[in-house]
Amino acid sequence: MRISELYRSGTFDLSVEIFPPKNESGDAELFRTLEELIRYQPAFVSCTYGAGGSTSKRTIELCETIQNQLHTTATAHFTCVASTRDQLVDWLQSASDAGINNIMALRGDPPKGQETFVPADGGLKYANELVALIREHFPQMGIGVAGYPEVHPESPDAETDLANLKRKVDAGANAVYTQLFFNNTHFHNFRERCVQAGITCPIIPGIMPITEFRRIQRISSMCNSEFPVELTEKLEAVQEDLEAQFEIGVDFAIRQCQELIDDGVPGIHFYALNRSPACKRIFEALGFHEA
Ligand SMILES: Cc1cc2nc3c(=O)[nH]c(=O)nc-3n(C[C@H](O)[C@H](O)[C@H](O)COP(=O)(O)OP(=O)(O)OC[C@H]3O[C@@H](n4cnc5c(N)ncnc54)[C@H](O)[C@@H]3O)c2cc1C
């Protein structure tokens, strides 16, 4: 199903994000994970596009396998990094030829050590340009874009960031998927501001269960998200006990998701990190069961 057809009134759609593993054993583990998670009938599984375009072909191949072997809709992430317009269109054509009908359209991050994003010669500078390019060449494609409840780190302020998000939606995006966050107040305020700014498409919260103390610092610095002190302290107190950390992280995510559902979100996008146990526990607790 295309993203444009999801989140209709009265439906609730789960989606799961994975990344291309680095080797064959990672692939095997990923497919074991996916076999577990697709039993919960996610609306789609999305596969990221490696930094610097490093997984260009792999992203399409994995999406193709997910669709053909697991019979689940796939969404391919795609960035503007290091590509001319023609190369972007070629890649989109390959994705379309592979039967992919949904793209998560992103600008991508600047390479490590670089503060600002420099587009390739003849390339695109912002995700709204990529959305427009997709709409021009593949008008039927479902398009998701990224939104930032705690503001994109390069943005001077929340208002500017929101105006830029609106450009993506006005260019033809069908839904906004948020950066992960742990404090629902940020999402709630962001959604209100989106409505006030005239962004009317579905806004889907992105949730990552954090089940290990050692991951907190990396995750927070990667995504600029405020990490709750209470959760940090709880995880730190049992940092030698993996099982206890798992329970604490899952419990936190269940409460966070339940609150979002009670608040009327039309779906949740799970950053699954290629693993199933935490997501499975959360899905079950939220009342989604294996088909
Ligand atoms: C759901 C999700 C999935 C992601 N998947 C991937 C992935 O697979 N691969 C990957 O490499 N990265 C991924 N990212 C990270 C993303 O690439 C980075 O956050 C990147 O820094 C910004 O991408 P964007 O699409 O939000 O860019 P943009 O929307 O282009 O925004 C980038 C910055 O430029 C500003 N801006 C936007 N448009 C304009 C304009 N027209 N004029 C002036 N300023 C503007 C924005 O306010 C923002 O500060 C993902 C992020 C999310 C939330």
Side-chain angles (χ1 to χ4, degrees):
M1 208 180 247
R2 288 183 165 83
I3 289 174
S4 49
E5 297 160 314
L6 301 176
Y7 317 115
R8 299 258 165 94
S9 127
T11 65
F12 182 91
D13 291 303
L14 294 173
S15 51
V16 170
E17 180 172 316
I18 53 108
F19 59 86
K22 291 207 172 81
N23 51 40
E24 277 178 21
S25 72
D27 277 9
E29 194 185 336
L30 170 63
F31 279 89
R32 277 195 297 276
T33 290
L34 286 175
E35 273 164 15
E36 299 265 327
L37 294 183
I38 61 168
R39 292 188 195 138
Y40 294 87
Q41 299 180 292
F44 65 82
V45 171
S46 81
C47 178
T48 63
Y49 189 81
S54 55
T55 65
S56 173
K57 282 196 181 134
R58 288 272 284 146
T59 298
I60 293 181
E61 283 164 9
L62 283 170
C63 285
E64 212 176 354
T65 311
I66 289 164
Q67 296 204 139
N68 296 342
Q69 289 182 18
L70 301 180
H71 310 291
T72 298
T73 300
T75 292
H77 292 218
F78 189 38
T79 75
C80 308
V81 173
S83 299
T84 63
R85 280 177 76 95
D86 287 349
Q87 287 168 331
L88 294 169
V89 174
D90 285 350
W91 186 94
L92 288 162
Q93 187 64 58
S94 308
S96 175
D97 292 344
I100 295 163
N101 293 319
N102 288 319
I103 302 290
M104 192 73 79
L106 304 142
R107 185 201 66 182
D109 281 320
K112 266 196 190 118
Q114 221 168 279
E115 293 266 300
T116 50
F117 179 86
V118 180
D121 275 349
L124 306 180
K125 202 169 176 194
Y126 297 112
N128 66 289
E129 298 167 5
L130 181 58
V131 175
L133 187 78
I134 300 170
R135 273 284 162 265
E136 182 190 338
H137 293 269
F138 303 91
Q140 300 306 322
M141 196 65 92
I143 305 178
V145 290
Y148 302 87
E150 291 170 82
V151 185
H152 185 265
E154 290 166 43
S155 226
D157 53 61
E159 229 172 76
T160 311
D161 206 29
L162 202 64
N164 290 327
L165 174 61
K166 188 161 188 305
R167 289 178 205 262
K168 297 193 270 196
V169 177
D170 290 348
N174 301 117
V176 174
Y177 295 84
T178 78
Q179 182 59 282
L180 58 99
F181 61 91
F182 302 96
N183 179 343
N184 286 348
T185 305
H186 292 306
F187 177 81
H188 191 81
N189 294 342
F190 172 69
R191 195 176 55 179
E192 296 233 312
R193 288 191 291 110
C194 283
V195 172
Q196 279 161 16
I199 296 171
T200 54
C201 69
I203 298 172
I204 315 303
I207 297 296
M208 183 186 281
I210 302 291
T211 54
E212 285 174 70
F213 175 69
R214 66 182 178 91
R215 285 185 182 269
I216 296 175
Q217 206 165 6
R218 177 143 188 277
I219 299 290
S220 303
S221 65
M222 251 170 55
C223 62
N224 212 28
S225 305
E226 175 205 334
F227 202 86
V229 177
E230 172 216 342
L231 180 57
T232 309
E233 286 174 355
K234 279 188 176 171
L235 288 171
E236 188 174 16
V238 293
Q239 60 178 299
E240 305 304 327
D241 183 344
L242 280 176
E243 233 169 84
Q245 289 178 73
F246 179 85
E247 292 301 324
I248 290 166
V250 162
D251 185 55
F252 182 89
I254 291 169
R255 281 188 284 127
Q256 186 182 9
C257 291
Q258 190 60 62
E259 212 177 286
L260 289 165
I261 292 171
D262 294 345
D263 197 25
V265 296
I268 298 182
H269 185 67
F270 284 91
Y271 294 100
L273 295 175
N274 293 11
R275 294 194 226 151
S276 62
C279 286
K280 277 185 71 170
R281 278 278 301 280
I282 297 164
F283 294 169
E284 290 286 343
L286 296 175
F288 303 101
H289 301 296
E290 294 186 33

